Amino acid sequence: QEQVVESGGDSVQAGGSLRLSCVGSGYTASHYCMSWFRQAPGKEREGVAGIDTDASTYYADSVKGRFTISQDSAKNILYLQLNNLKPEDTAMYYCAAVGLYDCWSAGGIQSMGTWRNFDFRGPGTEVTVYS
């Protein structure tokens, strides 16, 4: 059964950095496009970054230049490097996977839209940024 589990969340001061990890099992990484989402208290879950199987990436405008998504396909681990963190980055962060056919049919990971369109997702890891 496909499964992803996030880790790396912590409480950090504004301007600090974190690296989130998402370890996958039960599936072949090259068969899925991957994304990171986040949900702040009282807000909708939003897409943060995504990566296609050809390693092309996309980022939400709010994190461009600060966050970097990457993947170790051999180990089936997805990463999100968070730099220059701001209090508004405080949220629960989730990784999610969608099958290659659906990903490419939509026009790539940047076109997948809501997290509900993804096949499976993890329980999340919490990031708190204090000023």
Side-chain angles (χ1 to χ4, degrees):
Q1 184 176 355
E2 303 94 344
Q3 180 176 303
V4 290
V5 179
E6 305 91 340
S7 64
D10 204 345
S11 180
V12 297
Q13 192 170 20
S17 297
L18 286 173
R19 189 175 80 158
L20 308 183
S21 299
C22 168
V23 178
S25 60
Y27 65 96
T28 302
S30 61
H31 295 175
Y32 287 84
C33 298
M34 304 291 295
S35 275
W36 284 97
F37 291 83
R38 68 184 181 185
Q39 188 167 15
K43 294 189 176 181
E44 288 287 318
R45 193 170 300 191
E46 62 176 356
V48 174
I51 186 166
D52 278 339
T53 55
D54 63 358
S56 59
T57 58
Y58 95 93
Y59 297 93
D61 288 342
S62 58
V63 306
K64 277 181 183 176
R66 300 189 299 122
F67 291 8
T68 303
I69 188 171
S70 61
Q71 188 172 25
D72 184 335
S73 296
K75 297 181 179 179
N76 210 348
I77 303 176
L78 181 73
Y79 299 103
L80 186 67
Q81 179 68 40
L82 291 67
N83 295 330
N84 190 21
L85 281 160
K86 304 176 180 180
E88 53 263 42
D89 295 318
T90 295
M92 188 72 79
Y93 284 72
Y94 304 87
C95 67
V98 59
L100 200 54
Y101 179 81
D102 289 340
C103 180
W104 286 4
S105 295
I109 192 65
Q110 72 278 2
S111 303
M112 281 304 302
T114 173
W115 61 274
R116 294 180 180 85
N117 293 334
F118 285 68
D119 295 328
F120 52 94
R121 63 204 65 86
T125 186
E126 189 169 9
V127 173
T128 302
V129 185
Y130 58 92
S131 55

